[in-house]
Every structure is written in structure tokens, then in C-alpha cells.
Amino acid sequence: MRGFLERLQWKLAAWMQGRNGVDGLSNFLMGVGIILILASIVPGLDLLSWFALVFLLVAVLRSFSKNISARSKENEAFERVAEKPKRWFALRHKMWTNRKTTRYFTCKGCGTVLSVPRGKGTLRVVCPKCKTETMKKS
Ligand SMILES: [Zn+2]
């Protein structure tokens, strides 16, 4: 059994040679497809499973595609669009994990998210971006 699985793995690796493989865009399309499948369980939303099928099919076909330059161009465009939301989620995650040690607030001058350590009294904060000064209770 183990030899069979190893041979299968080698064959798959050889078959994937020269193909695009899974990239960020494919992963995203897979995720959307899976969410649509789960949503299609809700009565009245069963048509969503067809959209899910399209998303999953495109994700799989992209991974097996041999036109790597076209696929990587698509992936680059996707990464450019996805950069801002990714950063937003990363910041929310950081704020959540540091919520006990750090207080976060937005600069009144430019909207940049700033942070001060908690429990240090009232601090004078100078925004590194626009130099706006604020007094902040930490
Ligand atoms: Zn600022």
C-alpha cells in the first residue's frame, strides 16, 4: 500500500511538472467556492451550488494550466487588489492579540492607526506620518 501511494505521489508530481500549481488566486477561488457550497444548504439558496461549481472548476483549471505566464499575471492582479483587505485583516488580528497590552486609536490628522502601551497614564503622542500631537489616556 505504501509503495503504491509513493508511486502515485511521484506520478502526480511528474504530471504537475510545468503546470501552474496552486497560487493565491486559486486558493481564494476555492475558498469562495466552499463558502458558496455551505451557503447553498440554506433553503432557497440552492442555486448557489452552481456558482460554487464554477468557482471550484476555475480554481482547479488554473492550477493545472500550462500557460504559467498568463496565470501568474492573473495572480499578480489579484494580489494587488487583495493587498488592502489583507492588511486590514492583519491589523484587526494584531489589535485583537495585543488588546490587553496595547491601546489602538486613529490619528485625527491623517487617519493612521497608532498605538500606545496600556497603563502608562496620559501620554503625548506625535503621529510619525503627519506630526499631529494628541494627548492619549493609555
Ligand atoms: Zn497622523
Side-chain angles (χ1 to χ4, degrees):
M1 191 63 193
R2 191 152 168 217
F4 169 75
L5 284 178
E6 250 165 49
R7 273 202 311 269
L8 195 70
Q9 200 176 5
W10 274 107
K11 272 193 178 156
L12 191 69
W15 189 70
M16 284 305 286
Q17 199 70 241
R19 291 175 196 268
N20 190 47
V22 178
D23 55 15
L25 178 54
S26 294
N27 271 331
F28 175 75
L29 293 171
M30 283 279 190
V32 171
I34 289 167
I35 289 169
L36 287 176
I37 283 182
L38 293 176
S40 71
I41 296 168
V42 177
L45 294 179
D46 39 342
L47 260 175
L48 283 180
S49 61
W50 288 104
F51 290 100
L53 195 68
V54 171
F55 274 94
L56 294 173
L57 200 68
V58 171
V60 169
L61 290 177
R62 285 193 80 257
S63 303
F64 293 158
S65 169
K66 285 185 172 175
N67 190 351
I68 292 174
S69 69
R71 298 296 85 79
S72 68
K73 258 186 209 159
E74 291 165 8
N75 193 50
E76 274 167 34
F78 166 74
E79 297 288 354
R80 266 197 301 277
V81 172
E83 198 189 321
K84 243 184 161 178
K86 264 187 188 170
R87 265 206 308 243
W88 189 86
F89 279 112
L91 181 64
R92 300 301 125 171
H93 180 73
K94 197 171 130 194
M95 286 164 114
W96 177 252
T97 41
N98 298 339
R99 68 191 181 281
K100 288 193 174 135
T101 57
T102 314
R103 166 160 273 156
Y104 291 90
F105 61 97
T106 50
C107 170
K108 285 189 179 73
C110 65
T112 304
V113 177
L114 303 172
S115 63
V116 289
R118 280 184 188 275
K120 303 276 184 213
T122 305
L123 300 171
R124 188 177 65 94
V125 182
V126 180
C127 173
K129 216 173 177 184
C130 68
K131 311 293 177 209
T132 302
E133 265 189 50
T134 30
M135 298 303 283
K136 206 77 202 168
K137 224 178 100 186
S138 62

